[in-house]
Amino acid sequence: MKFHSTQSYVAPEDLTQAVNAAVRLERPLLVKGEPGTGKTELARQVAASLGLPIVEWVVKSTTRAQQGLYDYDAVSRLRDSQLGDPRVNDVRNYIRKGKLWQAFEADTKVVLLIDEIDKADIEFPNDLLQELDRMEFHVYETGETIRARHRPVIVITSNNEKDLPDAFLRRCFFHFIRFPDADTMRAIVDVHFPGIKQGLVAAALAEFYGLREVSGLRKKPSTSEMLDWLKLLLAEDAAPGSLRAEGAALPRLHGALLKNEQDVALIERAAMMARGRR
């Protein structure tokens, strides 16, 4: 199995090599990069490229590692026992399978996405070490051991909000997705908007990368926001020369690119100071 770019996803050579190395090593692929660089979409495209189903586990601040294995609903079982429900005689009726369990028991190899692992508690990655290493876990309520029928391709994403434990990092193949350069971004745009006028793309890229180069931005516009902006420009049939009004500090429809008032004010101040120096 080899991953490669798909019709809807442009994968640079270093990213392609990282995915294929993780598949060969049978190690989780830990992917970092600034938000909007396509980390989550990568897992979906790996599944599409390899022809595999995908199981997605979206991690939140309240997520516990145990939830990836299973949840035992003791409260419901107690309530049903008080009501005389015969289901209480089988504890399996109160066990909800987690995403790891679903991936382990799948009839075919799957891609398992553990998305934004750094949102959870710092102990979360360590709590999964044994399960990801051995590809099995024990269900204490039933006494059974769940083993993976097929070792899944595991993609783990992180926005670098927290440092991950060294023991966890040792078990992963790591790749940092660099922000696309202009040529790569042009290829991404062509995939999403076939036949788009290249004059509009050139003008939009100039505006986009100009915003990203402004020093002090709290949130630089991302790839996904660039694509949203282009979608709006195409809907309005915008001409390349109309993306910024004469003397304007900000490009047309800048709300697709800039997402907080501090960044808008920063760019407006920078433009005002530049005009004052002329």
Side-chain angles (χ1 to χ4, degrees), residues 190-210:
D190 287 343
V191 163
H192 287 270
F193 304 105
I196 189 172
K197 294 178 181 177
Q198 292 305 304
L200 177 61
V201 174
L205 288 178
E207 292 284 356
F208 175 76
Y209 282 101

Side-chain angles (χ1 to χ4, degrees), residues 100-261:
L100 263 71
W101 191 330
Q102 294 174 31
F104 284 6
E105 73 171 3
D107 292 330
T108 61
K109 195 178 191 72
V110 304
V111 173
L112 172 62
L113 168 63
I114 304 177
D115 200 21
E116 298 191 335
I117 194 171
D118 53 327
K119 279 191 174 179
D121 183 86
I122 189 61
E123 291 303 320
F124 179 95
N126 281 334
D127 290 343
L128 290 176
L129 288 180
Q130 180 170 306
E131 288 75 16
L132 295 181
D133 260 354
R134 298 184 180 179
M135 288 287 120
E136 65 179 37
F137 63 89
H138 189 70
V139 182
Y140 295 97
E141 289 76 10
T142 64
E144 62 185 321
T145 297
I146 306 301
R147 295 184 177 88
R149 296 179 183 176
H150 308 275
R151 193 177 189 97
V153 175
I154 302 174
V155 179
I156 302 172
T157 72
S158 169
N159 285 329
N160 239 357
E161 293 180 6
K162 293 191 188 89
D163 289 334
L164 299 174
D166 288 345
F168 179 80
L169 295 175
R170 282 197 300 272
R171 289 163 169 81
C172 297
F173 189 94
F174 171 74
H175 183 74
F176 184 86
I177 298 182
R178 295 181 180 86
F179 195 83
D181 59 23
D183 289 339
T184 303
M185 185 66 77
R186 190 183 298 272
I188 292 171
V189 169
D190 287 343
V191 163
H192 287 270
F193 304 105
I196 189 172
K197 294 178 181 177
Q198 292 305 304
L200 177 61
V201 174
L205 288 178
E207 292 284 356
F208 175 76
Y209 282 101
L211 289 179
R212 283 187 57 86
E213 289 172 3
V214 174
S215 178
L217 283 184
R218 294 183 62 182
K219 184 192 178 307
K220 294 182 179 182
S222 67
T223 303
S224 60
E225 289 155 348
M226 170 68 179
L227 296 175
D228 285 346
W229 187 46
L230 271 177
K231 186 176 181 180
L232 291 174
L233 296 176
L234 287 171
E236 293 198 353
D237 195 23
S242 69
L243 302 191
R244 186 191 295 252
E246 185 176 353
L250 295 162
R252 181 176 180 178
L253 299 167
H254 63 268
L257 299 171
L258 301 172
K259 299 305 173 73
N260 61 70
E261 66 277 15

Side-chain angles (χ1 to χ4, degrees), residues 17-32:
Q17 291 176 354
V19 172
N20 290 324
V23 171
R24 283 194 296 270
L25 290 172
E26 295 189 323
R27 294 276 190 178
L29 173 65
L30 174 61
V31 184
K32 292 186 179 183

Side-chain angles (χ1 to χ4, degrees), residues 10-68:
V10 176
E13 182 63 24
D14 61 340
L15 177 56
T16 300
Q17 291 176 354
V19 172
N20 290 324
V23 171
R24 283 194 296 270
L25 290 172
E26 295 189 323
R27 294 276 190 178
L29 173 65
L30 174 61
V31 184
K32 292 186 179 183
E34 66 179 82
T37 48
K39 299 185 296 298
T40 301
E41 186 61 22
L42 169 65
R44 297 167 183 155
Q45 295 302 324
V46 168
S49 175
L50 302 181
L52 301 176
I54 186 169
V55 175
E56 299 189 23
W57 184 12
V58 180
V59 177
K60 301 178 181 178
S61 60
T62 55
T63 302
R64 295 176 292 107
Q66 176 65 28
Q67 293 172 316

